[in-house]
Amino acid sequence: MKFFGRVAARSAAARSGGSARLHVGCGSEAIAGWVNIDSRPLPGVDRVLDVTSGLPFENVAAIYAEHFLEHLAFDDGLAFLAECRRALREDGVLRLSTPNLDWVYLTHYQIGKWSEDDESLRDCFQLNRAFHGWGHRFLYNAPSLAAVLRASGFANVRFQRYGESDVAELRGLERHETWEDTPELPHVIIAEATGRAESRPLPAKFLDPFREATAIR
Ligand SMILES: C[S@@+](CC[C@H](N)C(=O)[O-])C[C@H]1O[C@@H](n2cnc3c(N)ncnc32)[C@H](O)[C@@H]1O
């Protein structure tokens, strides 16, 4: 996990926040009126930054990241969320959209329903693709996403539907197409996190063995 406490890295850019809205990991989907951030200098990117080294902003009004968090290793994700909390102003809001592990599990690996060997082979590859493809590092279900947000110092977590929000500027932001979604089983989890609270760490009995095992290469 990289260290986020390097105040020097923030410098003058740190004070460019104010009412800024950050769109992190924007890829090629820049949003007008937002500061579009990506580690790659793609068209529409306003700031080329590796956000695992920190977010050089303060007092921002909103942070949005679609299909981004799952691209960070677990501890980098945790540190990124804590950095979002730090960079947001007190009434700021973080909105995340990330693949839904429940949906992946239930739609990609239909054990017991295989009528031919070919189907078990298909599911083996598609489940592994979901975990390892496209640069994915960690997939969340709704409770684990809420838990990492609370561990990162957010007080409130609210799940939203695709494109919907109580906050006007967060409506209609999602770009990824909905795919085999039902209201009970959406393929993405969309969470909005607000407020500030003391960190509620995740249970060590789950984290420690995970960290130990994933450290082995
Ligand atoms: C799957 S793409 C999503 C792009 C866009 N948000 C979308 O929904 O189509 C993930 C993006 O995150 C960017 N990214 C990955 N790690 C990053 C990092 N550490 N800092 C900044 N951007 C990063 C990648 O370059 C990529 O454009």
Side-chain angles (χ1 to χ4, degrees):
M1 175 170 38
K2 293 178 186 168
F3 179 54
F4 281 146
R6 286 171 292 180
V7 176
R10 296 189 190 124
S11 69
R15 289 171 285 282
S16 65
S19 58
R21 296 173 296 175
L22 310 182
H23 179 199
V24 176
C26 62
S28 305
E29 299 289 345
I31 304 174
W34 291 65
V35 181
N36 296 287
I37 297 169
D38 202 280
S39 54
R40 298 179 294 160
L42 297 164
V45 170
D46 301 303
R47 297 285 301 271
V48 177
L49 292 174
D50 174 358
V51 300
T52 64
S53 296
L55 275 175
F57 298 88
E58 288 172 8
N59 296 317
V60 303
I63 301 175
Y64 174 61
E66 180 178 22
H67 284 265
F68 168 70
L69 187 65
E70 70 276 11
H71 291 259
L72 301 184
F74 179 79
D75 281 305
D76 282 341
L78 207 51
F80 166 71
L81 297 177
E83 182 67 348
C84 288
R85 179 52 278 174
R86 183 205 57 75
L88 284 166
R89 58 186 203 210
E90 287 308 303
D91 63 346
V93 54
L94 168 67
R95 181 175 173 106
L96 298 170
S97 169
T98 188
N100 180 2
L101 178 58
D102 290 354
W103 177 87
V104 168
Y105 176 71
L106 290 168
T107 60
H108 286 50
Y109 201 74
Q110 314 232 322
I111 192 164
K113 295 189 185 163
W114 299 321
S115 52
E116 297 167 25
D117 282 352
D118 201 29
E119 291 175 357
S120 63
L121 195 62
R122 175 203 62 200
D123 284 8
C124 174
F125 276 94
Q126 67 181 11
L127 187 59
N128 274 285
R129 184 184 61 169
F131 279 107
H132 305 297
W134 306 283
H136 288 176
R137 303 294 304 277
F138 194 91
L139 300 184
Y140 298 81
N141 55 21
S144 62
L145 187 60
V148 290
L149 286 162
R150 295 199 176 100
S152 306
F154 286 94
N156 316 302
V157 179
R158 170 180 283 205
F159 293 103
Q160 294 286 5
R161 291 200 177 173
Y162 189 95
E164 296 179 9
S165 178
D166 297 336
V167 182
E169 59 192 351
L170 297 180
R171 284 182 208 133
L173 290 180
E174 279 74 43
R175 305 288 173 89
H176 276 248
E177 59 193 29
T178 52
W179 193 40
E180 296 177 20
D181 277 40
T182 60
E184 301 74 35
L185 190 64
H187 85 285
V188 288
I189 312 165
I190 298 172
E192 287 180 0
T194 55
R196 189 187 294 276
E198 199 167 316
S199 166
R200 278 165 279 177
L202 285 108
K205 65 182 176 185
F206 301 134
L207 265 192
D208 291 351
F210 173 79
R211 284 180 172 141
E212 202 177 314
T214 51
I216 298 168
R217 294 273 164 198

